[in-house]
C-alpha cells in the first residue's frame, strides 16, 4: 500500500499517530502504554526508510566533498561499516556520542549510523575544539568520535558525567 503521513486523526487537540507496519504485529493494534515507545518505533522506521531509499539510488552521486563524489552505494556501505564499528565499541541506544569533525562523507555516515542505533549524536566542528570539554559536560557525552584528514574515524569512551535533564528526555524517546 501507499505510505501514510503517520497522522491518523485529531482528538482533544492532540494528533494521534498510526501504528507503523512493523509495530502492528508486535502490539496487535493495541495502543502503546507509552507514547514515547511508539515514537521510538516510528523514528527507527523513518531512518530505515531513508536508508532503504538511499540504497535504491546505487551509483548516483550522494555527496560531493574535496572535489569528489560519494555515491549512494558507497555512502550506504560506509553507514553499515560505521554502525558495526560503533556496536563493537559498545555504543547502544540512548548513548550520547560527540561527533568531532567537519562535514565529510564519514561524518554523514556516522550520524546516520548513530540514528540507526537510536544513539544521541552531538555534532561538533573542529572550530569548537577549545570548548569541547564544556560541551561534553552539557551534553553528557559518553563517547567521542574524531574524523582525521583521510576521513577515517576513531572512537573513544569518555569519563562518566552527570546526566543532564535534556539527555534524560532524549533517552526516553
Amino acid at each position: 500500500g501507499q505510505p501514510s503521513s503517520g497522522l491518523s486523526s485529531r482528538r482533544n487537540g492532540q494528533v494521534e499517530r498510526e501504528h507503523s507496519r512493523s509495530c502492528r504485529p508486535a502490539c496487535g493494534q493495541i495502543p502503546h502504554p507509552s507514547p514515547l515507545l511508539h515514537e521510538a518505533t516510528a523514528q527507527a522506521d523513518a531512518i530505515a526508510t531513508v536508508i532503504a531509499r538511499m540504497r535504491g539510488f546505487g551509483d548516483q552521486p550522494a555527496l560531493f566533498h574535496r572535489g569528489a563524489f560519494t555515491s549512494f552505494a558507497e555512502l550506504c556501505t560506509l553507514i553499515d561499516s560505521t554502525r558495526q564499528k560503533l556496536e563493537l565499541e559498545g555504543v547502544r541506544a540512548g548513548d550520547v556520542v560527540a561527533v568531532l569533525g567537519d562535514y565529510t562523507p564519514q561524518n554523514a555516515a556516522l550520524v546516520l549510523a548513530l540514528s540507526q542505533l537510536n544513539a544521541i549524536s552531538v555534532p561538533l566542528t573542529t572550530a569548537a575544539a577549545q570548548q569541547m570539554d564544556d560541551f561534553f559536560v552539557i551534553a553528557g557525552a559518553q563517547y567521542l568520535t574524531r574524523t582525521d584528514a583521510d576521513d577515517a574515524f576513531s572512537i573513544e569512551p569518555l569519563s562518566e558525567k552527570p546526566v543532564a535533564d535534556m539527555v534524560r528526555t532524549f533517552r526516553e524517546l
Side-chain angles (χ1 to χ4, degrees):
Q2 291 289 334
S4 70
S5 66
L7 304 178
S8 59
S9 66
R10 286 191 178 270
R11 284 195 194 149
N12 301 326
Q14 294 183 350
V15 175
E16 287 187 311
R17 301 207 179 270
E18 294 177 3
H19 284 348
S20 65
R21 275 181 255 193
S22 65
C23 178
R24 286 182 183 143
C27 68
Q29 290 296 316
I30 298 169
H32 283 287
S34 166
L36 295 176
L37 178 62
H38 184 72
E39 289 300 319
T41 301
Q43 177 184 341
D45 287 348
I47 296 300
T49 298
V50 167
I51 293 173
R53 287 183 179 172
M54 288 170 54
R55 290 185 197 286
F57 288 106
D59 290 332
Q60 294 182 43
L63 301 171
F64 184 78
H65 180 69
R66 293 186 185 152
F69 285 100
T70 300
S71 72
F72 281 98
E74 292 166 326
L75 183 58
C76 289
T77 298
L78 195 53
I79 292 166
D80 294 340
S81 63
T82 300
R83 186 187 68 247
Q84 289 171 354
K85 184 172 182 175
L86 291 167
E87 289 172 332
L88 286 173
E89 292 294 329
V91 176
R92 303 286 177 256
D95 287 349
V96 180
V97 181
V99 179
L100 179 64
D102 293 320
Y103 302 103
T104 67
Q106 175 58 70
N107 278 344
L110 182 54
V111 170
L112 287 166
L114 287 167
S115 296
Q116 283 182 317
L117 295 173
N118 278 336
I120 301 165
S121 60
V122 181
L124 301 169
T125 65
T126 52
Q130 291 182 347
Q131 298 170 314
M132 270 196 322
D133 289 335
D134 294 334
F135 291 137
F136 294 161
V137 171
I138 292 167
Q142 297 164 281
Y143 295 92
L144 169 64
T145 64
R146 297 176 192 264
T147 307
D148 66 17
D150 295 324
D151 206 24
F153 91 100
S154 61
I155 183 168
E156 62 188 82
L158 297 172
S159 60
E160 285 290 317
K161 299 184 179 29
V163 179
D165 289 339
M166 173 183 65
V167 173
R168 267 197 269 314
T169 301
F170 281 130
R171 285 183 176 156
E172 291 173 2
L173 295 176

